[in-house]
Amino acid sequence: MSNKDQKIKKAIQYYQGNYQNLHKEFLNFLKIPSVSTAEDHQDDIQKAADFLVKKLSILGFDKAAQHPTPKHPIVYGEYIVDSNMPTVLIYGHYDVQPPDPLNDWHTPPFEPAERGEYLFARGASDMKGQIWATISALEAIITAGQPGMNIKLLFEGEEEIGSPSLDAFLESHKALLQSDFVLNPDAGMIAPDKPTIVYGLRGLAYFELRIFGPKADLHSGIFGGVVANPANVLCKLIAGMHDENGKVTLPGFYDYVRDLTENEREELSRIGLDDNFYKEMSGVSALHGELGYTPVERACARPTLDVNGFYAGYIEKGAKTIIPAFATAKISTRLVPNQDPILVHEGMKSYLEANVPDTVTWELEYMSGAPAYINAEETPGLELFIEALKETWHMQPLMKREGGSIPVATSMKEILGVDSIITGFGLPGDQIHSPNERLHLPTHRKGVEALIRFFA
Ligand code: BES
Ligand code: MN
């Protein structure tokens, strides 16, 4: 047995032998409600950052510390084995999405509960579970010997709100973060038996649109028919953002869209995400989308526009007859390579300038944006990572483009000049961002083994 194989064997044995302890610690991590968007969770964000710094220090990481930002701290630590070895920068986010709607959870979101092979908690999959897989693998490999590469860890607390402080931190810490490639486990797999590497992600431009009408809510009998209703106006505006073929109508929206090549279309069709997959996963009876593209193409490689939230008028139980004073919608676009979120913002403004009637006033806030990401084919470390997945699952990993967004991948490429291996051990059924988020524990444990092989 080679040195490396012995090290792997020892590390996996360590992991299996210490699983209970590691799992207990993981549960404590999940119990911290580190919701980044909520003002009243500042203390919990702090607790989650403290938790990670403490763990890194115990594992023997150097420079384990928090770096304050205008919002939530960034946690950094490094384990340098030999300055001649390649260095991986591992990214994670310790913040989570709000758990709402709370009533839909079968057990409370921050009291992790195991049912069958699943662990239920907010963040279990996205992505405290992925951070924990990484830390578990590092603990195992450090105990069994030395990793075969230098390790730098960066955990932010603002991913779920668009990483507002990250770019400035990358800019001002280029030397500290110097590395050969990034490992970003914030994506996931297609199925428990299909290890997956994501080579492309969609970007994002996120807006809040506010329409203002009368100076206060009005009696809809006295004023209905004379005063424009901001909710009606907003609905019409939103309806006009798509045409009858499911295309987005914002001026210039498709100008720079890089169309799919025949090769890409074939590759996407081969990964087996058919109509039934999307129906089963979502619980809808029929699919919809842009004419001329298959569901997997629409979800992974075509740009889209969606309302994420809508607020207007009386939303409590019962009926109230009013013309609301204002109406608000949160609208996101998912972008594909070569689309520029700034130009999409311009397109949204032009659309509104041309289409908002003079019976109301409006305000558009650009909340966040990031371009799409496609990684270089010769990303360092990719071959090794594929090898590690292959040895663990005994099959060739799938290469997939993903519809979700991980803006940090683009930032790391642009600011630090490094490509990312985007992966993860979550599953499509994990209900991330939804009630009853869960983690498939057997897949998670396999993920740890794959990471051990990789770090070895
Ligand atoms: N982990 C997700 C992104 C993701 C989801 C990748 C599914 C692959 C598969 C990440 O935490 C996330 O939700 N990102 C946001 C980004 C946004 C807030 C800027 C997203 O995609 O909505
Ligand atoms: Mn995530």
Side-chain angles (χ1 to χ4, degrees):
M1 215 192 253
S2 76
N3 251 345
K4 182 179 148 193
D5 288 341
Q6 247 160 10
K7 192 159 67 179
I8 292 170
K9 196 173 157 208
K10 219 170 127 193
I12 290 177
Q13 270 168 1
Y14 171 86
Y15 175 59
Q16 288 166 348
N18 280 268
Y19 179 74
Q20 288 311 331
N21 290 334
L22 279 162
H23 192 64
K24 237 183 266 157
E25 275 181 87
F26 177 32
L27 298 186
N28 288 334
F29 188 30
L30 287 172
K31 283 177 194 163
I32 308 169
S34 45
V35 179
S36 47
T37 197
E39 309 267 303
D40 53 343
H41 280 283
Q42 197 60 42
D43 286 358
D44 298 311
I45 283 279
Q46 191 53 53
K47 260 190 228 160
D50 290 343
F51 176 97
L52 287 170
V53 170
K54 190 167 161 219
K55 182 69 187 172
L56 296 193
S57 308
I58 291 170
L59 288 181
F61 274 67
D62 285 328
K63 302 184 186 168
Q66 290 178 32
H67 297 255
T69 77
K71 251 204 154 92
H72 303 322
I74 287 173
V75 171
Y76 177 82
E78 61 183 37
Y79 196 94
I80 307 297
V81 185
D82 174 348
S83 58
N84 293 318
M85 278 183 173
T87 300
V88 58
L89 175 63
I90 303 174
Y91 166 85
H93 64 84
Y94 63 82
D95 63 323
V96 298
Q97 286 272 331
D100 312 69
L102 274 177
N103 282 338
D104 290 354
W105 285 78
H106 301 311
T107 46
F110 298 107
E111 292 172 28
E114 265 177 68
R115 291 192 286 280
E117 292 184 326
Y118 292 97
L119 177 63
F120 290 82
R122 171 56 88 233
S125 175
D126 184 13
M127 70 168 297
K128 283 177 175 168
Q130 313 306 325
I131 289 184
W132 203 250
T134 310
I135 286 181
S136 302
L138 287 170
E139 176 168 326
I141 201 76
I142 288 170
T143 312
Q146 292 288 8
M149 57 186 87
N150 300 315
I151 314 279
K152 295 183 173 181
L153 293 176
L154 185 161
F155 299 133
E156 68 158 320
E158 300 179 350
E159 196 272 348
E160 301 292 5
I161 51 171
S163 308
S165 309
L166 191 74
D167 285 9
F169 182 80
L170 299 182
E171 289 283 359
S172 56
H173 293 81
K174 281 185 188 164
L176 181 73
L177 301 173
Q178 214 260 316
S179 55
D180 295 284
F181 63 98
V182 176
L183 178 66
N184 185 330
D186 196 18
M189 320 192 355
I190 290 173
D193 59 350
K194 293 197 169 82
T196 309
I197 291 172
V198 170
Y199 69 90
L201 295 154
R202 285 197 288 193
L204 192 84
Y206 201 112
F207 309 98
E208 190 165 296
L209 173 58
R210 304 177 197 113
I211 304 292
F212 303 100
K215 61 183 185 222
D217 290 357
L218 299 176
H219 189 290
S220 64
I222 300 175
F223 293 97
V226 220
V227 173
N229 181 323
N232 294 25
V233 170
L234 182 56
C235 288
K236 194 168 170 196
L237 288 168
I238 290 168
M241 291 177 188
H242 286 96
D243 70 11
E244 65 285 1
N245 293 326
K247 288 230 185 295
V248 176
T249 58
L250 307 184
F253 191 72
Y254 293 97
D255 282 2
Y256 297 94
V257 165
R258 207 189 76 185
D259 214 350
L260 283 150
T261 62
E262 274 315 308
N263 233 345
E264 275 183 299
R265 298 189 89 160
E266 208 186 294
E267 224 172 36
L268 276 174
S269 76
R270 244 188 291 125
I271 56 181
L273 300 182
D274 58 7
D275 293 30
N276 276 334
F277 170 85
Y278 285 105
K279 282 190 207 165
E280 264 165 39
M281 282 297 154
S282 64
V284 300
S285 52
L287 301 176
H288 98 133
E290 187 185 2
L291 196 71
Y293 296 90
T294 64
V296 69
E297 290 169 354
R298 294 171 188 160
C300 298
R302 291 295 296 169
T304 53
L305 181 148
D306 277 290
V307 175
N308 300 261
F310 192 93
Y311 180 88
Y314 182 65
I315 59 165
E316 304 305 325
K317 280 210 177 78
K320 187 179 184 216
T321 47
I322 53 159
I323 292 175
F326 68 91
T328 298
K330 294 179 192 293
I331 301 171
S332 68
T333 55
R334 294 279 173 178
L335 311 179
V336 299
N338 300 351
Q339 275 182 301
D340 180 346
I342 303 297
L343 294 181
V344 171
H345 182 199
E346 292 303 319
M348 178 64 94
K349 276 194 283 194
S350 314
Y351 171 85
L352 295 170
E353 275 155 12
N355 291 288
V356 179
D358 60 8
T359 50
V360 296
T361 56
W362 59 281
E363 210 176 77
L364 179 72
E365 187 188 343
Y366 176 73
M367 295 177 75
S368 69
Y373 177 78
I374 286 269
N375 74 358
E377 262 171 47
E378 68 291 4
T379 304
L382 189 58
E383 277 311 309
L384 268 181
F385 196 77
I386 290 174
E387 234 7 81
L389 291 178
K390 230 160 100 178
E391 273 172 41
T392 309
W393 270 271
H394 308 293
M395 71 164 283
Q396 185 71 27
L398 293 174
M399 302 298 283
K400 183 189 180 236
R401 270 173 77 168
E402 172 60 57
S405 307
I406 311 182
V408 54
T410 309
S411 299
M412 291 194 164
K413 175 78 188 175
E414 284 175 359
I415 301 170
L416 305 177
V418 278
D419 273 290
S420 294
I421 300 173
I422 300 161
T423 187
F425 308 105
L427 295 170
D430 283 353
Q431 288 146 200
I432 67 172
H433 296 206
S434 293
N436 302 304
E437 178 176 349
R438 66 187 195 183
L439 181 72
H440 188 234
L441 290 168
T443 303
H444 173 82
R445 287 190 285 262
K446 265 186 146 168
V448 174
E449 289 187 19
L451 288 169
I452 288 173
R453 294 198 165 93
F454 179 64
F455 293 139

